[in-house]
Amino acid sequence: MEAIGSRRLTLLHTADVHLDDWPQGTMEPPGAHRAFEAIIDRALDMQVDLVLIAGDLFDHNRVADDTIAFAQSQLRRLHCPAVILPGNHDCLHPNGIYHRHDFGAACGNVRVITELDGQTIAFPELDLVVWGRGMEAHEPGFHPLAHIPARHDGRWHVAMAHGFFYEDFEPPERSSPILAAEIRQTGWDYVAMGHKHVTANHSQEGVAAWYPGTPLPEWSTAPPGHVLLVECCPEHGVIVRPHQVAGACRDRGSRRQSISGP
Ligand SMILES: [Mn+2]
């Protein structure tokens, strides 16, 4: 592929954090809270240029306001922009999280993908465009990569997609399918996927495409708790490396121990 971006970037890609409410009477933060804090720490340590959250940051659309406030306080710690793509657990239905809460107002560095036919967010300072399609309903007819525009210049082109990947020979039977051919046909540099809870590389020809897997150890069957560091390199293209989220594994057994409230 001829066109790749002119400057080197490091992106942190996560998904499926599934933040839920802090159970009453427990002292220890829930695992998802610890994982998300550790992800933000990693982004700061690595001085990444952008954080991509490819769906299901929240476990459901009725999480309490203090859970939203926690997420926003973590996002505000970043020194870089972040893009949130809603997933099936935090989709864009009326009265859902992203209708009740204005993340852009609460965190000046955060953009949420809300356009149902897709939207492109340009980051001129990074020589980068990010595209995603807002999910209102998780259903077989919703293709997360439908309507993606053709690339037309040499900026880095990164798409986000929350759904289930299908190889060319597999019939897409589940909701929000992401087809191998759709990934290939984008011609974009990277597709930041979410939904599968294990780290997986589904790159197609010149298009890198990965699931980071959930950062939560207890939900993944592979070695637990990863994010992806995506190096966009003018000389070598896109290089993706999984990194374990250390904080997600801290005191793994202790989250079951709760202390009765007053
Ligand atoms: Mn999902």
Side-chain angles (χ1 to χ4, degrees):
M1 187 168 307
E2 75 301 333
I4 60 173
S6 62
R7 59 157 291 184
R8 187 183 185 93
L9 298 179
T10 305
L11 317 178
L12 186 149
H13 169 197
T14 186
D16 302 288
V17 183
H18 288 274
L19 287 169
D20 200 349
D21 296 333
W22 191 320
Q24 270 201 325
T26 57
M27 298 283 285
E28 188 73 19
H33 282 55
R34 295 207 307 269
F36 194 53
E37 191 171 8
I39 289 165
I40 301 296
D41 287 344
R42 176 59 61 95
L44 291 167
D45 288 347
M46 303 296 290
Q47 299 183 295
V48 302
D49 297 292
L50 180 74
V51 171
L52 300 163
I53 302 173
D56 293 353
L57 173 58
F58 298 97
D59 190 59
H60 56 83
N61 256 318
R62 300 173 309 284
V63 294
D65 287 353
D66 59 1
T67 300
I68 306 288
F70 167 80
Q72 292 176 339
S73 70
Q74 293 298 321
L75 290 162
R76 278 195 299 269
R77 294 170 56 214
L78 291 169
H79 301 155
C80 70
V83 182
I84 297 174
L85 178 74
N88 56 306
H89 285 255
D90 51 5
C91 64
L92 291 167
H93 71 62
N95 218 20
I97 289 167
Y98 302 109
H99 286 97
R100 298 200 310 274
H101 298 273
D102 185 342
F103 275 65
C107 317
N109 58 329
V110 172
R111 302 288 301 271
V112 180
I113 302 275
T114 55
E115 296 294 326
L116 302 181
D117 288 328
Q119 76 192 77
T120 302
I121 302 171
F123 294 95
E125 71 282 13
L126 300 178
D127 200 28
L128 167 75
V129 292
V130 175
W131 179 91
R133 188 178 172 207
M135 180 192 291
E136 193 172 38
H138 181 51
E139 57 190 16
F142 178 77
H143 282 238
L145 287 177
H147 313 302
I148 188 170
R151 67 178 304 155
H152 60 273
D153 60 34
R155 292 175 292 177
W156 292 111
H157 280 57
V158 171
M160 302 176 78
H162 190 91
F164 206 85
F165 172 78
Y166 286 95
E167 300 282 3
D168 288 327
F169 57 84
E170 295 174 318
E173 292 162 337
R174 296 172 66 166
S175 295
S176 304
I178 301 167
L179 310 184
E182 291 175 325
I183 293 173
R184 276 197 301 278
Q185 286 160 11
T186 65
W188 285 40
D189 298 301
Y190 184 63
V191 180
M193 303 164 83
H195 195 46
K196 268 191 195 174
H197 285 184
V198 293
T199 306
N201 175 6
H202 293 300
S203 300
Q204 305 292 319
E205 295 176 4
V207 183
W210 285 67
Y211 287 101
T214 178
L216 298 173
E218 60 266 45
W219 281 18
S220 63
T221 54
H226 287 85
V227 295
L228 298 175
L229 285 169
V230 181
E231 298 282 346
C232 300
C233 174
E235 296 81 27
H236 303 108
V238 174
I239 300 159
V240 181
R241 293 191 185 88
H243 279 244
Q244 202 155 22
V245 182
C249 297
R250 173 163 53 96
D251 301 327
R252 203 178 154 183
S254 69
R255 69 189 297 257
R256 303 257 173 247
Q257 298 170 8
S258 61
I259 295 173
S260 298

